[in-house]
Amino acid sequence: MSRRLVSLTLDTLEDLPRSCRQCVFWELDPVAAERACAAGDPGLDKEAWVSQTLLEWGSCGKLAYVDGMPAGFVMYAPPAYVPRSMAFPTSPVSADAALLTTAHVVAAFAGGGLGRMLVQGVARDLTKRGVKAVEAFGDAKFGDAGEPGDGCVAPVDFFLAVGFKTVRPHPRFPRLRLELRTALSWKSDVEYALEKLLGSMSPEALLRPVRPATRSTTAG
């Protein structure tokens, strides 16, 4: 099973699930989002937002592929680029953090570590750009019967599972935070698999150069 992580571009935008490709929950303020949906093609607004953010700020998303199939994605940006970020009871996002808006793993690929892989990809990208932390609004009642919700706010449990900590509690929409140095300290899946394969053997010892069979003992 091959897995790879790529940055969101206008080309890879088409690999988002259709419901997400057409969603402008985060990209527009509530009134503008409602108007875009009423106009019939919010996907155009989504594309315009991605294009503008890429030009002005840079990479704003990561997609994970498993054996060539789109398996999950995350999107992120400075809070100033995310009008919806001010509509939460636990706003605003901290001044030193980027906002992770959307996180989604396709059900068929859930439980395989893709969420952590995506978040670590975000951490690497943002660290190179001088960002210290990433924050997110989580839904504490995601999937509960009788609770309104459209899936645009990822479940709190997802963020907690990938290392986020609650910084402003709320019964429905707490704000969570991940220090990027924490995410970058995680062992990669490759290292973990190598340790499992080798058991008690030391990978470092196996990777040392092999010494020649004979050596000169003459003093220099």
Side-chain angles (χ1 to χ4, degrees), residues 13-57:
L13 178 64
E14 301 308 317
D15 284 340
L16 297 187
R18 179 168 176 77
S19 59
C20 300
R21 173 65 180 84
Q22 297 293 317
C23 177
V24 288
F25 176 88
W26 291 102
E27 292 79 7
L28 301 176
D29 66 71
V31 174
E34 188 174 329
R35 288 174 180 164
C37 292
D41 194 359
L44 291 176
D45 294 278
K46 182 89 162 193
E47 183 175 333
W49 182 90
V50 170
S51 178
Q52 180 182 5
T53 305
L54 286 171
L55 286 171
E56 296 180 358
W57 184 66

Side-chain angles (χ1 to χ4, degrees), residues 61-75:
K62 297 288 181 186
L63 289 89
Y65 293 82
V66 175
D67 292 337
M69 297 288 294
F73 74 96
V74 291
M75 294 182 68

Side-chain angles (χ1 to χ4, degrees), residues 44-135:
L44 291 176
D45 294 278
K46 182 89 162 193
E47 183 175 333
W49 182 90
V50 170
S51 178
Q52 180 182 5
T53 305
L54 286 171
L55 286 171
E56 296 180 358
W57 184 66
S59 179
C60 57
K62 297 288 181 186
L63 289 89
Y65 293 82
V66 175
D67 292 337
M69 297 288 294
F73 74 96
V74 291
M75 294 182 68
Y76 53 96
Y81 282 76
V82 187
R84 178 74 67 159
S85 68
M86 294 306 299
F88 286 83
T90 48
S91 300
V93 173
S94 302
D96 65 344
L99 176 64
L100 195 158
T101 58
T102 308
H104 176 75
V105 174
V106 176
F109 301 102
L114 287 181
R116 180 161 287 208
M117 177 181 170
L118 285 161
V119 171
Q120 191 166 37
V122 174
R124 288 196 187 100
D125 177 39
L126 292 178
T127 298
K128 291 176 184 176
R129 294 150 76 176
V131 180
K132 302 297 183 184
V134 62
E135 294 189 356

Side-chain angles (χ1 to χ4, degrees), residues 85-214:
S85 68
M86 294 306 299
F88 286 83
T90 48
S91 300
V93 173
S94 302
D96 65 344
L99 176 64
L100 195 158
T101 58
T102 308
H104 176 75
V105 174
V106 176
F109 301 102
L114 287 181
R116 180 161 287 208
M117 177 181 170
L118 285 161
V119 171
Q120 191 166 37
V122 174
R124 288 196 187 100
D125 177 39
L126 292 178
T127 298
K128 291 176 184 176
R129 294 150 76 176
V131 180
K132 302 297 183 184
V134 62
E135 294 189 356
F137 299 102
D139 187 348
K141 298 184 179 181
F142 187 93
D144 285 3
E147 290 292 344
D150 53 13
C152 297
V153 183
V156 168
D157 289 347
F158 168 82
F159 293 115
L160 295 176
V162 296
F164 280 71
K165 306 294 183 186
T166 301
V167 291
R168 190 168 177 192
H170 186 269
R172 181 67 189 270
F173 295 118
R175 178 160 50 90
L176 304 101
R177 179 180 174 96
L178 176 67
E179 302 294 336
L180 295 186
R181 65 177 181 272
T182 300
L184 292 177
S185 70
W186 295 335
K187 290 187 176 182
S188 71
D189 292 338
V190 172
E191 291 171 328
Y192 179 71
L194 183 63
E195 284 191 358
K196 286 189 68 176
L197 178 66
L198 298 175
S200 60
M201 297 174 67
S202 166
E204 291 79 6
L206 293 177
L207 296 174
R208 290 194 190 108
V210 177
R211 293 173 182 262
T214 60

